Amino acid sequence: MADRRLQVFYTVAKLLSFTKAAESLHMTQPAVTFQVRQLEEHFNTRLFDRTHNRISLTDAGRRVYDFSTRIFELYSELDNAVRELTGEVSGVLMVGASTTIAEYMLPALLGDFKAKYPDVSVRLKVSNTDGIVHMVENNIIDLGVVEAHVTNKNLAVELCRLDQLVAIVSPKHVLAKVGKVGPRTLLEYPFISREEGSGTREVINEYLEAAAIHPSELDIIMELGSPEAIKGAVEAGIGISVLSRATIIKELKLSTLVAVELDPPIERPFSFVHQKHKFRQRAMDELLQFARQYCLDHPTAGG
């Protein structure tokens, strides 16, 4: 309903990047630039300063951004008010999730939600935990689901459930017949790790530090960006790793991997994260309620 030029300007101003705005809006960068220029022509003034491949808001741009924020909040309130009368739940929701959650938890949750609310379009962005928190902070996504602690006190964080991590080895590995391993045992074998910024890697580092071990003592021979890649490398006998038990259910059934309990165990939160004070459209409230119930119905990562 809102002026398209204003929507495009608002996104660019929020992200301070024409490239990121184009990606967020599913537009080409020239189309984004054209819309902003049209708005600048309407006001007969520059809204952005462009220097050294960086942009910043002019005084006029800041004024337009402040008003556009209020305008879009009012539009959302109007939309919700009418839909409450009609009982309709629709709209577009941007959801972000860290890799493990996106691959092993969200497909079932979002599939069930879509079946109940077919008029809601859900778009999913996948990144590591740091990336998802950044997207929530910058209003790029409405809801994030992450696998590590969130330190930003300005964000609302709701625990969904606890996830258990285990050591994984190939069936031929010497540890395959061991019931449990301690943190120091992990130092004795080539280790396959997730990338920097991953929630899994962060939790493993905290686990080692709690045992007075510096993470640099791990013999990391490979860094990979997804649980699937790590499982393949471990199955091939390249090294050992630590992953969520939820990611290896199929491999355990097929006996292509062996899970070894950690002593002491590692548990980490799967949490929802969203803006505290941002006005939420009705579809977002319904998704939050649906997700909370899903967590109650599936209290374990394998459930």
Side-chain angles (χ1 to χ4, degrees):
M1 244 170 85
D3 187 319
R4 183 61 169 167
R5 297 170 301 175
L6 195 60
Q7 289 179 324
V8 172
F9 161 81
Y10 176 77
T11 306
V12 175
K14 186 170 61 176
L15 302 176
L16 289 178
S17 167
F18 282 84
T19 303
K20 291 178 181 177
E23 179 184 350
S24 176
L25 294 166
H26 303 284
M27 297 171 63
T28 64
Q29 188 169 329
V32 168
T33 302
F34 176 75
Q35 293 285 347
V36 171
R37 282 180 180 161
Q38 286 228 313
L39 195 63
E40 289 178 326
E41 289 174 8
H42 173 79
F43 289 119
N44 195 29
T45 186
R46 286 185 299 105
L47 301 176
F48 292 102
D49 282 326
R50 302 166 176 84
T51 54
H52 304 296
N53 295 322
R54 297 182 64 182
I55 64 170
S56 59
L57 287 165
T58 63
D59 289 341
R62 279 189 288 272
R63 186 71 60 88
V64 174
Y65 180 72
D66 290 342
F67 273 94
S68 62
T69 301
R70 291 156 59 187
I71 288 168
F72 290 129
E73 286 180 352
L74 283 171
Y75 269 123
S76 293
E77 290 183 33
L78 169 62
D79 194 58
N80 274 14
V82 174
R83 294 187 192 285
E84 282 178 6
L85 289 175
T86 63
E88 180 187 354
V89 179
S90 62
V92 178
L93 289 176
M94 299 296 296
V95 177
S98 46
T99 311
T100 299
I101 293 170
E103 291 182 358
Y104 301 97
M105 172 181 155
L106 279 191
L109 191 161
L110 294 180
D112 291 347
F113 179 78
K114 184 67 175 173
K116 185 175 181 180
Y117 300 106
D119 293 328
V120 178
S121 176
V122 180
R123 297 175 183 166
L124 178 63
K125 289 183 175 288
V126 180
S127 181
N128 58 33
T129 293
D130 284 352
I132 294 302
V133 171
H134 177 76
M135 288 185 214
V136 174
E137 290 169 338
N138 289 280
N139 290 308
I140 298 170
I141 58 176
D142 300 300
L143 177 68
V145 196
V146 296
E147 57 193 62
H149 295 285
V150 177
T151 57
N152 187 337
K153 302 300 183 184
N154 295 319
L155 299 178
V157 181
E158 301 182 39
L159 175 66
C160 170
R161 66 188 182 201
L162 293 176
D163 175 47
Q164 184 188 37
L165 275 69
V166 293
I168 61 168
V169 301
S170 89
K172 297 178 180 178
H173 197 278
V174 65
L175 294 180
K177 300 188 184 303
V178 177
K180 292 183 179 180
V181 295
R184 291 209 165 270
T185 303
L186 300 178
L187 310 182
E188 299 173 12
Y189 303 94
F191 194 85
I192 301 165
S193 175
R194 283 291 303 275
E195 78 286 3
E196 291 283 356
S198 157
T200 300
R201 181 161 178 162
E202 181 180 322
V203 170
I204 293 170
N205 287 349
E206 291 172 356
Y207 178 72
L208 294 174
E209 288 166 353
I213 300 170
H214 195 277
S216 63
E217 295 181 57
L218 272 178
D219 181 19
I220 297 177
I221 60 165
M222 193 177 288
E223 293 185 4
L224 299 173
S226 75
E228 291 299 315
I230 287 178
K231 288 188 293 184
V234 173
E235 286 178 3
I238 297 172
I240 68 170
S241 191
V242 172
L243 287 180
S244 162
R245 183 181 287 278
T247 68
I248 58 170
I249 294 173
K250 180 181 71 175
E251 287 76 16
L252 293 180
K253 288 180 179 177
L254 296 174
S255 299
T256 57
L257 284 175
V258 174
V260 183
E261 301 290 334
L262 293 168
D263 185 21
I266 300 180
E267 286 190 327
R268 57 157 176 205
F270 279 1
S271 302
F272 304 119
V273 55
H274 54 88
Q275 290 278 357
K276 279 183 179 178
H277 306 297
K278 179 182 176 183
F279 181 84
R280 298 200 300 260
Q281 57 177 307
R282 188 177 175 201
M284 170 66 169
D285 284 331
E286 293 295 339
L287 176 59
L288 264 178
Q289 285 299 111
F290 191 91
R292 289 172 185 138
Q293 188 60 49
Y294 178 90
C295 294
L296 291 174
D297 295 340
H298 302 80
T300 62

